Amino acid sequence: MGMDGFTVIAEPTRRAIVDRLRLRSHDVGSLVDELGISQSLASKHLRVLRDAGVVEAEVAGKRRVYRLTEQPLPDVAAWARPYVELWATSFDRLATALNEENDHDR
């Protein structure tokens, strides 16, 4: 078994790669350019992310194009879910209160 999801994203460069891949697929070269890191470092981090099931690679000609998998970091998502639900409920209550206040002011 590889690293857990928290260990995977604890490293800032890996988080930066995941952030870029959330927006679109990238090859190693574009990650190197965007992040200002060496190709060997980018490849090392991509290997960790691939081994952890966070990214997948597709061969496109001579390049490997990386993208996020469908269900990356399930342990992190499971841990965060109750907090997201709690905050969403709090924001819903706030929005309701603000709407009631705006209706009252009219």
Side-chain angles (χ1 to χ4, degrees):
M1 180 69 193
M3 290 183 211
D4 72 15
F6 295 96
T7 305
V8 170
I9 60 171
E11 205 290 324
T13 302
R14 285 196 291 267
R15 271 198 317 273
I17 290 171
V18 169
D19 285 342
R20 298 301 187 295
L21 294 178
R22 180 176 53 86
L23 302 174
R24 66 178 177 86
S25 299
H26 283 73
D27 63 9
V28 176
S30 65
L31 288 168
V32 165
D33 292 344
E34 285 188 30
L35 298 174
I37 59 177
S38 70
Q39 179 145 355
S40 62
L41 186 61
S43 295
K44 182 186 106 176
H45 285 306
L46 285 164
R47 189 167 35 258
V48 170
L49 291 167
R50 201 173 59 231
D51 290 348
V54 177
V55 304
E56 56 194 10
E58 182 179 320
V59 176
K62 293 183 179 179
R63 304 176 314 141
R64 268 202 165 134
V65 178
Y66 292 85
R67 66 173 169 266
L68 294 182
T69 58
E70 289 292 313
Q71 298 291 324
L73 304 166
D75 51 347
V76 175
W79 178 83
R81 189 171 298 112
Y83 296 95
V84 172
E85 290 168 0
L86 175 70
W87 295 325
T89 302
S90 297
F91 286 130
D92 289 345
R93 279 199 301 265
L94 176 61
T96 300
L98 291 172
N99 287 336
E100 288 171 0
E101 194 172 293
N102 284 342
D103 291 345
H104 180 72
D105 290 345
R106 285 186 200 158

